[in-house]
Amino acid sequence: MRLILLGAPGAGKGTQAGFIKEAFGIPQISTGDMLRAAVKAGTPLGLEAKKIMDEGGLVRDDIIIGLVKERIAQSDCANGFLFDGFPRTIPQAEAMKEAGVDIDFVVEIDVPDQMIVERMSGRRVHLSSGRTYHVVFNPPKAEGIDDETGEPLVQRDDDKEETVKKRLGVYHEQTEVLVGYYSRMAAAGDARAPRYVKIDGTRDVGTVRDEVLAVLKG
Ligand code: AP5
Ligand code: ZN
């Protein structure tokens, strides 16, 4: 199964991706996690991406498309994968189409902007795995500590309120068009079109999870 999780920053893509990858045994491909790993490793890509990410902008399409193509060519992607935070622009979506990468499901997690800022301010992450928590809505077993590794949790550099607002603006300007792009493709019903599903992401983590998994299990 190949699927795309679409939604605003903080909608819960990473959180739901964790459940989907476990339920279906497919890798999660988060371009945000890949970029944060490059930043941490101090690679040339990381150095270039850090400034853009901290400002809430988007990293160049050609760089992202190259990263993703390389990643999906790896053997663990042979039976499918889950895109989290990709595609984020029409050129990124078109690049997958041109590469013959057919998608089975596009799952949109819909959350209004007002709720996003609250979610981001309480977010804590385990950087090396991408596991995500919230101090109130989805707390770790021990405060500030990752459940699986016992390592410390951190706040993301781009979770400052100002940057979150900028990221929301970028989402509405450049990424939200993909809602129309994929739902039109689904409605046209050609054999290569994905199924498009919109989920109300304002409910608690477990309720959203149950609905997402029920839809995917058909
Ligand atoms: P990326 O890492 O993809 O960030 P994002 O899309 O902005 O999304 P987030 O990770 O912030 O949110 P999420 O939807 O995963 O929510 P989460 O599950 O964590 O990208 C970061 C940057 O990298 C971009 O700004 C850009 O610069 C660059 N980049 C990445 N991909 C790119 C691309 N393709 N092209 C160009 N540039 C790219 O949840 C948020 C919080 O809410 C957590 O604390 C969580 O515990 C909590 N929560 C989740 N669900 C619920 C719920 N149902 N109820 C209550 N709380 C919840
Ligand atoms: Zn995420």
Side-chain angles (χ1 to χ4, degrees):
M1 180 170 62
R2 292 163 166 180
L3 69 105
I4 293 173
L5 275 179
L6 194 61
K13 302 182 296 297
T15 301
Q16 296 302 327
F19 302 128
I20 297 168
K21 76 173 180 189
E22 265 190 29
F24 294 94
I26 51 175
Q28 170 188 2
I29 302 180
S30 160
T31 41
D33 285 350
M34 289 163 87
L35 293 169
R36 280 183 288 279
V39 169
K40 200 168 173 214
T43 64
L45 165 64
L47 294 176
E48 189 179 338
K50 171 138 181 62
K51 191 169 176 289
I52 300 167
M53 294 169 81
D54 285 352
E55 287 170 354
L58 293 183
V59 175
R60 275 196 352 245
D61 284 335
D62 58 329
I63 295 179
I64 297 288
I65 291 164
L67 267 182
V68 169
K69 281 189 173 167
E70 210 174 281
R71 179 66 187 88
I72 62 179
Q74 290 170 7
S75 57
D76 64 329
C77 292
N79 293 323
F81 46 78
L82 153 60
F83 283 144
D84 160 12
F86 175 89
R88 239 179 167 92
T89 61
I90 296 280
Q92 292 179 14
E94 286 284 309
M96 289 298 106
K97 202 171 154 198
E98 277 157 26
V101 179
D102 291 346
I103 302 295
D104 302 302
F105 285 96
V106 177
V107 178
E108 179 194 350
I109 306 181
D110 184 32
V111 177
D113 289 7
Q114 312 85 273
M115 243 180 158
I116 301 276
V117 178
E118 187 188 9
R119 286 192 182 181
M120 300 301 221
S121 60
R123 170 158 63 185
R124 300 291 181 274
V125 295
H126 178 243
L127 269 186
S128 56
S129 69
R131 257 185 305 282
T132 300
Y133 303 86
H134 189 283
V135 290
V136 178
F137 305 133
N138 188 21
K141 291 184 186 119
E143 196 183 319
I145 303 290
D146 177 47
D147 288 352
E148 287 185 29
T149 61
E151 290 167 0
L153 301 175
V154 296
Q155 273 192 282
R156 267 170 50 175
D157 290 338
D158 59 349
D159 276 353
K160 289 193 279 297
E161 189 169 336
E162 239 178 80
T163 317
V164 169
K165 287 186 175 153
K166 175 85 193 299
R167 286 160 61 202
L168 280 170
V170 170
Y171 175 79
H172 293 304
E173 275 164 31
Q174 300 196 50
T175 306
E176 209 170 15
V177 287
L178 293 177
V179 169
Y181 175 90
Y182 284 116
S183 38
R184 273 194 301 276
M185 202 191 269
D190 77 64
R192 292 183 56 191
R195 256 189 76 193
Y196 192 91
V197 188
K198 180 170 175 162
I199 306 271
D200 172 5
T202 62
R203 298 159 305 164
D204 63 84
V205 172
T207 305
V208 176
R209 175 200 59 211
D210 292 348
E211 191 171 326
V212 168
L213 294 182
V215 162
L216 297 177
K217 285 176 178 160

